[in-house]
Amino acid sequence: LVELYAKREITEGFAFLPDQPWQVEFEDAFPYEETEDQLQATREIKESMERPTPMDRLLAGDVGFGKTEVAMRAIFKAVISGKQVAVLVPTTVLAQQHYQTFLNRFNPFGVKVDVLNRFRSTAEKREILKGVENGSIDVLIGTHSLLNKKVKFKDLGFLVVDEEQRFGVEHKEHIKAMRSHVDVLTMSATPIPRTLEMSMAGIREMSTILTPPEDRHPILTYVGAQEDKQIAAAIRRELLRDGRVFFVHNKVSDIEKKGRELRDL
């Protein structure tokens, strides 16, 4: 790995353009107030992108602290500079989630976003592969199917890896191969020790988001013996505020029985 990063340092990468007027417009369209950490991380990433050596930066921050928005600003910068972007995520659900978020943010600016996952029909996949190869798709989101040899980008310049620790060794090898010449941004709420160590040692750059967004309540966790009364009270409290409840049960064989018990409560 150290050898790979040394090679990156002497590889001539692509220096992305400084912020264009559209970039400002895109960032102003964000409906929430950014936190100071989000702005700082965005600045650091942009500076790295504008340098001619390929970037490799880790963006660490808790769930819900706004890593995706920071990544989208970097992606927009890459697209405006005429490059394609690949967004690699570990699960189909997350790919779909990102796809919706990206569509909402990028559509008004004419950026073509698509998603490659197992819900796509063979015909759709063919169209997507064609679009990626001829450059009509700017941003492609996908699970490890993105690492398939059939996926040929016309001009890939930026790779975003969400939760890298959830990919297997084989996938990481593919990611590594893609890495040597494109700018890479890895996002994680829980970086693996090796990634963290490399960031601390200065082999990889690192940005952190430590402040929660305004009005974000901390997650409260209670541990206790199982009591029907408490379960019912917790569910009622959540329903009173029009919220949703997830009840996690560890056995498929009697999950229906558990469902009936909850309904009775």
Side-chain angles (χ1 to χ4, degrees):
L1 278 168
V2 173
E3 215 170 278
L4 172 83
Y5 288 105
K7 195 165 88 186
R8 286 177 64 86
E9 285 302 311
I10 54 166
T11 302
E12 188 63 36
F14 177 79
F16 290 91
L17 299 172
D19 281 4
Q20 306 295 303
W22 268 41
Q23 184 80 33
V24 180
E25 222 176 293
F26 177 79
E27 293 178 13
D28 285 347
F30 184 51
Y32 308 102
E33 191 67 43
E34 300 98 332
T35 63
E36 194 41 59
D37 283 4
Q38 271 181 309
L39 294 171
Q40 178 62 29
T42 305
R43 278 194 295 271
E44 289 169 359
I45 291 166
K46 284 178 179 174
E47 277 168 24
S48 295
M49 288 173 78
E50 287 169 23
R51 288 202 292 268
T53 45
M55 166 180 87
D56 195 349
R57 188 173 278 276
L58 168 68
L59 177 60
D62 216 336
V63 175
F65 277 26
K67 296 189 294 292
T68 307
E69 174 60 26
V70 173
M72 284 196 288
R73 293 176 179 199
I75 289 168
F76 193 73
K77 188 180 184 70
V79 172
I80 274 192
S81 301
K83 291 287 184 182
Q84 286 175 300
V85 181
V87 182
L88 194 56
V89 294
T91 65
T92 307
V93 172
L94 195 56
Q96 212 51 38
Q97 222 173 341
H98 275 341
Y99 181 50
Q100 287 310 322
T101 309
F102 280 37
L103 280 183
N104 295 341
R105 288 287 274 124
F106 288 119
N107 253 0
F109 297 90
V111 176
K112 179 84 169 78
V113 181
D114 221 319
V115 65
L116 192 61
N117 58 31
R118 65 166 189 261
F119 294 142
R120 290 295 203 200
S121 67
T122 312
E124 284 175 324
K125 281 180 184 166
R126 237 195 326 270
E127 279 306 303
I128 291 169
L129 293 178
K130 210 184 291 175
V132 167
E133 204 167 340
N134 66 26
S136 61
I137 292 175
D138 301 305
V139 182
L140 185 62
I141 305 163
T143 52
H144 50 265
S145 53
L146 269 197
L147 302 170
N148 196 313
K149 286 189 176 71
K150 287 180 187 163
V151 183
K152 296 187 181 80
F153 285 89
K154 185 183 179 187
D155 191 4
L156 182 67
F158 194 46
L159 172 66
V160 178
V161 185
D162 202 353
E163 300 296 353
E164 186 183 31
Q165 76 280 8
R166 293 181 51 192
F167 289 97
V169 175
E170 196 184 322
H171 297 141
K172 285 201 179 131
E173 289 302 318
H174 287 292
I175 298 170
K176 227 186 289 179
M178 284 171 92
R179 259 206 172 123
S180 61
H181 56 284
V182 300
D183 282 37
V184 182
L185 178 66
T186 307
M187 300 192 289
S188 182
T190 51
I192 50 174
R194 187 185 63 204
T195 305
L196 210 51
E197 191 225 359
M198 284 162 72
S199 302
M200 299 295 188
I203 295 172
R204 288 174 88 167
E205 302 162 301
M206 182 173 177
S207 296
T208 47
I209 301 179
L210 299 170
T211 44
E214 217 179 329
D215 296 334
R216 160 83 193 253
H217 297 299
I219 293 169
L220 304 176
T221 307
Y222 301 100
V223 180
Q226 186 166 331
E227 277 182 44
D228 286 352
K229 264 196 197 133
Q230 279 210 300
I231 292 172
I235 291 176
R236 259 191 224 107
R237 193 180 311 124
E238 186 57 25
L239 295 177
L240 278 172
R241 57 158 221 105
D242 284 336
R244 284 203 293 176
V245 180
F246 291 89
F247 189 99
V248 183
H249 182 62
N250 63 351
K251 252 215 210 96
V252 178
S253 57
D254 58 358
I255 201 160
E256 294 296 334
K257 182 165 157 276
K258 197 68 191 166
R260 282 197 298 277
E261 283 171 18
L262 282 178
R263 271 194 291 274
D264 294 342
L265 281 183

